Amino acid sequence: MSSLTIFEALGQARRNIADIDARMLLQYVLDVNHAYLLAHPEQKLTAEQAQAFYLLTGRRTLGEPVAYLTGRREFYSLEFNVTPAVLVPRPETELLIDLALARIPPQRPCRILDLGTGSGAIALTLATHRPLAKVTAVDVSAAAVAVANANAARFSLNNVRVIEADWFEGVAGESFDLIVSNPPYIAGDDPHLAQGDLRFEPQIALVAPSEGLGCIRLIIDSAPAHLAPEGSLLLEHGYDQAEACRCLLREAGFREVFSQPDLAGIMRVSGGWFRSFPGEAAKMRY
């Protein structure tokens, strides 16, 4: 038996890592929730538990994301399995979910496409909250597809399909009522890539060419050919990319173009409607 109590273990860990990180790691080691930690501060850790917690806090001190250490992350009140093959779902992306759900009446069947799905956080959350929707999730990474499929099975969702493909290549000839994406949008020379959690996350899911706008531009330019009449597109983007996204959307023929701030006041999501008649989008492109 270790001589460390829950209270003492958390106190030691907080010297090097954030309080919330310490709590999440200890909850993982003990397989308990936050309320349990609060109710049992004097409980002693076993030697094995103390060692496991020590090793995890050491890795977190070096910057490794908590989600990779525990293999899970909560997003929109759902707990997702995550691995280093996918981005860690972040709270600011929940804005994209809010805006998407606002455009999808619960009682109306529709088709949704999520590009660059990663863990499936966006696609599976939408599928959970809109069971009449048929959701297609696409990712170019086979490892990411495996994680998304595992999460879909975990949630017992039967209205989702996950495809390994490069952007729209896996849905040729298909149209959707809503296309959503949290694509790579960081420029390759951005200093943030060498800081914090980003050092451990997959670069393919973070970095985009053309000063971070390459993937966004590709999606905006290609989306009209895959949108049903009155279909819409919603994109998460970087803190300083809202204006550029709105310009690209207008140039591609989108209407009612907008940007929406997240809870921190940062313009985080942009989008618009594409009002076309069947075949019109394809004629515009070709």
Side-chain angles (χ1 to χ4, degrees):
M1 178 73 71
S2 165
S3 60
L4 276 181
T5 66
I6 286 176
F7 179 80
E8 292 167 340
L10 288 174
Q12 289 186 11
R14 290 186 188 114
R15 298 172 189 169
N16 300 305
I17 63 176
D19 173 66
I20 187 171
D21 293 347
R23 288 192 283 106
M24 290 177 68
L25 291 176
L26 190 54
Q27 287 168 212
Y28 171 71
V29 168
L30 300 181
D31 193 22
V32 299
N33 58 25
H34 184 212
Y36 186 94
L37 297 184
L38 293 175
H40 302 85
E42 299 306 316
Q43 176 180 316
K44 290 188 176 182
L45 278 62
T46 66
E48 292 78 10
Q49 290 169 339
Q51 178 67 6
F53 184 58
Y54 173 78
L55 292 174
L56 288 174
T57 55
R59 291 169 65 184
R60 179 56 186 153
T61 300
L62 296 175
E64 202 167 339
V66 171
Y68 292 163
L69 297 175
T70 64
R72 58 199 188 204
R73 171 55 65 93
E74 183 178 311
F75 178 81
Y76 219 84
S77 300
L78 296 170
E79 188 173 77
F80 286 84
N81 294 330
V82 296
T83 75
V86 301
L87 291 182
V88 176
R90 289 172 166 78
E92 56 264 32
T93 303
E94 294 188 353
L95 171 62
L96 187 62
I97 300 295
D98 290 337
L99 295 172
L101 292 177
R103 294 184 175 224
I104 310 167
Q107 69 280 7
R108 184 179 63 130
C110 68
R111 300 190 68 195
I112 303 171
L113 174 63
D114 174 29
L115 294 167
T117 196
S119 65
I122 295 170
L124 303 184
T125 300
L126 293 177
T128 298
H129 288 269
R130 294 295 184 266
L132 294 182
K134 298 296 183 183
V135 182
T136 299
V138 174
D139 204 290
V140 72
S141 164
V145 167
V147 174
N149 271 321
N151 280 319
R154 186 163 178 259
F155 299 145
S156 300
L157 293 170
N158 58 12
N159 59 333
V160 179
R161 60 171 175 155
V162 185
I163 298 173
E164 181 185 343
D166 190 9
W167 301 120
F168 292 94
E169 289 181 2
V171 293
E174 298 185 42
S175 64
F176 302 87
D177 301 288
L178 174 64
I179 298 174
V180 295
S181 183
N182 177 17
Y185 54 72
I186 301 177
D189 60 354
D190 192 311
H192 293 95
L193 292 169
Q195 303 170 9
D197 290 4
L198 294 184
R199 293 172 294 162
F200 296 84
E201 296 187 84
Q203 296 294 291
I204 191 175
L206 292 169
V207 178
S210 302
E211 299 181 353
L213 288 169
C215 296
I216 288 173
R217 180 179 287 109
L218 183 152
I219 292 170
I220 291 174
D221 288 346
S222 303
H226 295 275
L227 282 170
E230 301 295 322
S232 59
L233 172 65
L234 297 172
L235 290 165
E236 180 173 329
H237 50 70
Y239 71 97
D240 59 350
Q241 295 173 329
E243 183 177 354
C245 285
R246 292 195 301 272
C247 289
L248 290 170
L249 286 162
R250 292 190 186 101
E251 289 172 3
F254 284 86
R255 299 176 175 86
E256 297 182 35
V257 171
F258 73 97
S259 295
Q260 184 81 13
D262 60 21
L263 292 177
I266 297 170
M267 288 298 176
R268 182 61 61 185
V269 174
S270 293
W273 299 92
F274 194 86
R275 295 185 176 132
S276 65
F277 297 101
E280 181 181 333
K283 290 177 182 178
M284 290 181 63
R285 288 179 52 78
Y286 304 108

